Amino acid sequence: WENKEEHGGINALTAKLIHLRRNVDGRTKGLTGQKIDVFHVNNQDKIVAFRRCHNGGPQDDVIVIANFANQNFKDYEFGLPAGGQWKRRFSSDRTQYSDDFGGNASGDIEAEQRGYDGQSHCGCVQLPAYTVLIFSQDAE
């Protein structure tokens, strides 16, 4: 690359997404699966959340939530298919990808046993503008 240093953050972001998609760490198997369930569509605020999986369950279910708006959401609720802790595996808002990013997105979240979006549980996140977050669970 001629501009390798200039685009280093984008290269790192892309490498991280490929790493997750290939399930290199064994924590995002769902991203290699064929099943998708788009369970949260908020047209007004331009947010979508979906689940990818093979068969479902810990280390298989992967939740992706994307904010396509120029608006920060402090306590944004959305559905989760299971209780327990959901580990953040990716945030596009990390400052390592660009100094322009705030690094304000939520980290790990704890699912609340309350149905939401047709799912059995719900979670709440800090969701900065133009941010994608990816969550999955560890094996029990």
Side-chain angles (χ1 to χ4, degrees), residues 48-66:
V48 63
F50 60 91
R51 175 176 77 117
R52 289 275 311 267
C53 70
H54 273 275
N55 299 312
Q59 293 185 319
D60 187 351
D61 282 339
V62 175
I63 302 299
V64 178
I65 183 165

Side-chain angles (χ1 to χ4, degrees), residues 3-101:
N3 299 326
K4 186 175 183 180
E5 188 172 310
E6 179 183 343
H7 300 293
I10 297 301
N11 291 339
L13 182 145
T14 302
K16 178 66 174 180
L17 287 172
I18 292 169
H19 183 88
L20 292 171
R21 174 72 168 88
R22 293 180 58 224
N23 191 31
V24 172
D25 290 338
R27 296 180 176 142
T28 54
K29 182 178 179 183
L31 292 179
T32 66
Q34 297 300 311
K35 296 178 184 174
I36 186 166
D37 174 21
V38 180
F39 58 82
H40 182 91
V41 177
N42 179 337
N43 289 314
Q44 180 178 338
D45 292 324
K46 301 178 182 154
I47 296 172
V48 63
F50 60 91
R51 175 176 77 117
R52 289 275 311 267
C53 70
H54 273 275
N55 299 312
Q59 293 185 319
D60 187 351
D61 282 339
V62 175
I63 302 299
V64 178
I65 183 165
N67 179 1
F68 294 100
N70 186 17
Q71 180 179 352
N72 297 318
F73 294 91
K74 183 177 168 107
D75 295 309
Y76 194 85
E77 285 190 321
F78 63 104
L80 291 167
Q85 187 176 58
W86 287 83
K87 300 261 191 191
R88 186 184 79 187
R89 306 300 182 187
F90 175 80
S91 169
S92 65
D93 185 52
R94 296 193 59 197
T95 56
Q96 78 182 64
Y97 302 135
S98 173
D99 293 336
D100 294 333
F101 299 162

Side-chain angles (χ1 to χ4, degrees), residues 79-130:
L80 291 167
Q85 187 176 58
W86 287 83
K87 300 261 191 191
R88 186 184 79 187
R89 306 300 182 187
F90 175 80
S91 169
S92 65
D93 185 52
R94 296 193 59 197
T95 56
Q96 78 182 64
Y97 302 135
S98 173
D99 293 336
D100 294 333
F101 299 162
N104 297 316
S106 289
D108 300 344
I109 56 176
E110 192 69 32
E112 182 180 325
Q113 190 170 354
R114 178 170 53 90
Y116 200 89
D117 290 330
Q119 305 296 309
S120 61
H121 291 74
C122 71
C124 187
V125 292
Q126 305 285 338
L127 190 58
Y130 304 118

